[in-house]
PDB file of all heavy atoms in Angstrom:
ATOM      1  N   SER A 147      31.451 -18.130 -26.073  1.00  0.00           N
ATOM      2  CA  SER A 147      30.329 -18.414 -26.982  1.00  0.00           C
ATOM      3  C   SER A 147      29.082 -17.805 -26.354  1.00  0.00           C
ATOM      4  O   SER A 147      28.787 -18.073 -25.176  1.00  0.00           O
ATOM      5  CB  SER A 147      30.164 -19.935 -27.122  1.00  0.00           C
ATOM      6  OG  SER A 147      28.838 -20.266 -27.460  1.00  0.00           O
ATOM      7  N   THR A 148      28.361 -17.000 -27.110  1.00  0.00           N
ATOM      8  CA  THR A 148      27.127 -16.413 -26.553  1.00  0.00           C
ATOM      9  C   THR A 148      26.132 -17.511 -26.189  1.00  0.00           C
ATOM     10  O   THR A 148      25.349 -17.345 -25.256  1.00  0.00           O
ATOM     11  CB  THR A 148      26.474 -15.423 -27.536  1.00  0.00           C
ATOM     12  OG1 THR A 148      26.230 -16.085 -28.777  1.00  0.00           O
ATOM     13  CG2 THR A 148      27.347 -14.195 -27.747  1.00  0.00           C
ATOM     14  N   ASN A 149      26.150 -18.634 -26.913  1.00  0.00           N
ATOM     15  CA  ASN A 149      25.242 -19.727 -26.541  1.00  0.00           C
ATOM     16  C   ASN A 149      25.570 -20.256 -25.151  1.00  0.00           C
ATOM     17  O   ASN A 149      24.672 -20.567 -24.375  1.00  0.00           O
ATOM     18  CB  ASN A 149      25.316 -20.867 -27.563  1.00  0.00           C
ATOM     19  CG  ASN A 149      24.200 -20.792 -28.588  1.00  0.00           C
ATOM     20  OD1 ASN A 149      23.855 -19.698 -29.051  1.00  0.00           O
ATOM     21  ND2 ASN A 149      23.638 -21.927 -28.968  1.00  0.00           N
ATOM     22  N   GLN A 171      33.831 -13.801 -30.342  1.00  0.00           N
ATOM     23  CA  GLN A 171      33.782 -15.071 -29.608  1.00  0.00           C
ATOM     24  C   GLN A 171      35.103 -15.803 -29.802  1.00  0.00           C
ATOM     25  O   GLN A 171      35.617 -15.875 -30.924  1.00  0.00           O
ATOM     26  CB  GLN A 171      32.670 -15.982 -30.140  1.00  0.00           C
ATOM     27  CG  GLN A 171      31.265 -15.435 -29.981  1.00  0.00           C
ATOM     28  CD  GLN A 171      30.204 -16.398 -30.487  1.00  0.00           C
ATOM     29  OE1 GLN A 171      29.269 -16.706 -29.796  1.00  0.00           O
ATOM     30  NE2 GLN A 171      30.344 -16.857 -31.719  1.00  0.00           N
ATOM     31  N   ARG A 175      30.476 -21.724 -31.487  1.00  0.00           N
ATOM     32  CA  ARG A 175      30.114 -23.092 -31.842  1.00  0.00           C
ATOM     33  C   ARG A 175      29.086 -23.123 -32.950  1.00  0.00           C
ATOM     34  O   ARG A 175      28.203 -22.280 -33.018  1.00  0.00           O
ATOM     35  CB  ARG A 175      29.533 -23.820 -30.615  1.00  0.00           C
ATOM     36  CG  ARG A 175      30.556 -23.986 -29.517  1.00  0.00           C
ATOM     37  CD  ARG A 175      30.088 -24.919 -28.420  1.00  0.00           C
ATOM     38  NE  ARG A 175      29.054 -24.344 -27.582  1.00  0.00           N
ATOM     39  CZ  ARG A 175      27.772 -24.713 -27.607  1.00  0.00           C
ATOM     40  NH1 ARG A 175      27.354 -25.660 -28.436  1.00  0.00           N
ATOM     41  NH2 ARG A 175      26.900 -24.148 -26.803  1.00  0.00           N
ATOM     42  N   GLY A 176      29.233 -24.112 -33.854  1.00  0.00           N
ATOM     43  CA  GLY A 176      28.267 -24.326 -34.920  1.00  0.00           C
ATOM     44  C   GLY A 176      27.549 -25.648 -34.718  1.00  0.00           C
ATOM     45  O   GLY A 176      27.745 -26.333 -33.711  1.00  0.00           O
ATOM     46  N   ARG A 177      26.714 -26.011 -35.673  1.00  0.00           N
ATOM     47  CA  ARG A 177      25.997 -27.280 -35.589  1.00  0.00           C
ATOM     48  C   ARG A 177      26.952 -28.440 -35.790  1.00  0.00           C
ATOM     49  O   ARG A 177      27.983 -28.317 -36.421  1.00  0.00           O
ATOM     50  CB  ARG A 177      24.899 -27.344 -36.666  1.00  0.00           C
ATOM     51  CG  ARG A 177      23.736 -26.382 -36.420  1.00  0.00           C
ATOM     52  CD  ARG A 177      22.662 -26.506 -37.508  1.00  0.00           C
ATOM     53  NE  ARG A 177      22.198 -27.875 -37.634  1.00  0.00           N
ATOM     54  CZ  ARG A 177      22.345 -28.623 -38.726  1.00  0.00           C
ATOM     55  NH1 ARG A 177      22.934 -28.143 -39.799  1.00  0.00           N
ATOM     56  NH2 ARG A 177      21.889 -29.853 -38.750  1.00  0.00           N
ATOM     57  N   TRP A 182      32.413 -21.717 -35.214  1.00  0.00           N
ATOM     58  CA  TRP A 182      31.865 -20.570 -35.941  1.00  0.00           C
ATOM     59  C   TRP A 182      32.849 -19.421 -35.791  1.00  0.00           C
ATOM     60  O   TRP A 182      33.201 -19.032 -34.686  1.00  0.00           O
ATOM     61  CB  TRP A 182      30.497 -20.177 -35.395  1.00  0.00           C
ATOM     62  CG  TRP A 182      29.879 -19.056 -36.173  1.00  0.00           C
ATOM     63  CD1 TRP A 182      29.863 -17.732 -35.842  1.00  0.00           C
ATOM     64  CD2 TRP A 182      29.198 -19.160 -37.436  1.00  0.00           C
ATOM     65  NE1 TRP A 182      29.216 -17.005 -36.823  1.00  0.00           N
ATOM     66  CE2 TRP A 182      28.792 -17.861 -37.804  1.00  0.00           C
ATOM     67  CE3 TRP A 182      28.901 -20.232 -38.280  1.00  0.00           C
ATOM     68  CZ2 TRP A 182      28.097 -17.607 -38.995  1.00  0.00           C
ATOM     69  CZ3 TRP A 182      28.216 -19.964 -39.447  1.00  0.00           C
ATOM     70  CH2 TRP A 182      27.816 -18.676 -39.804  1.00  0.00           C
ATOM     71  N   LYS A 233      27.020 -19.071 -47.628  1.00  0.00           N
ATOM     72  CA  LYS A 233      26.409 -18.965 -46.294  1.00  0.00           C
ATOM     73  C   LYS A 233      26.656 -17.596 -45.673  1.00  0.00           C
ATOM     74  O   LYS A 233      27.810 -17.167 -45.526  1.00  0.00           O
ATOM     75  CB  LYS A 233      26.981 -20.073 -45.415  1.00  0.00           C
ATOM     76  CG  LYS A 233      26.372 -20.177 -44.037  1.00  0.00           C
ATOM     77  CD  LYS A 233      26.630 -21.565 -43.482  1.00  0.00           C
ATOM     78  CE  LYS A 233      26.388 -21.648 -42.002  1.00  0.00           C
ATOM     79  NZ  LYS A 233      26.484 -23.016 -41.502  1.00  0.00           N
ATOM     80  N   GLY A 236      24.416 -18.663 -39.764  1.00  0.00           N
ATOM     81  CA  GLY A 236      24.215 -20.003 -39.212  1.00  0.00           C
ATOM     82  C   GLY A 236      23.424 -19.905 -37.920  1.00  0.00           C
ATOM     83  O   GLY A 236      23.496 -18.892 -37.205  1.00  0.00           O
TER      84      GLY A 236
HETATM   85  C1  BTN B 266      26.065 -23.357 -37.866  1.00  0.00           C
HETATM   86  O1  BTN B 266      25.819 -22.904 -38.984  1.00  0.00           O
HETATM   87  O2  BTN B 266      26.722 -24.403 -37.720  1.00  0.00           O
HETATM   88  C2  BTN B 266      25.528 -22.630 -36.658  1.00  0.00           C
HETATM   89  C3  BTN B 266      26.376 -21.456 -36.296  1.00  0.00           C
HETATM   90  C4  BTN B 266      25.838 -20.695 -35.092  1.00  0.00           C
HETATM   91  C5  BTN B 266      26.776 -19.591 -34.675  1.00  0.00           C
HETATM   92  C6  BTN B 266      26.206 -18.697 -33.607  1.00  0.00           C
HETATM   93  S1  BTN B 266      27.203 -17.278 -33.313  1.00  0.00           S
HETATM   94  C7  BTN B 266      26.278 -16.883 -31.904  1.00  0.00           C
HETATM   95  C8  BTN B 266      25.985 -18.197 -31.201  1.00  0.00           C
HETATM   96  N1  BTN B 266      27.085 -18.559 -30.312  1.00  0.00           N
HETATM   97  C9  BTN B 266      27.707 -19.660 -30.711  1.00  0.00           C
HETATM   98  O3  BTN B 266      28.695 -20.172 -30.145  1.00  0.00           O
HETATM   99  N2  BTN B 266      27.141 -20.140 -31.826  1.00  0.00           N
HETATM  100  C10 BTN B 266      26.007 -19.332 -32.231  1.00  0.00           C
END
Side-chain angles (χ1 to χ4, degrees):
S147 154
T148 56
N149 262 40
Q171 297 182 128
R175 295 191 288 108
R177 291 181 55 243
W182 183 261
K233 185 159 165 173

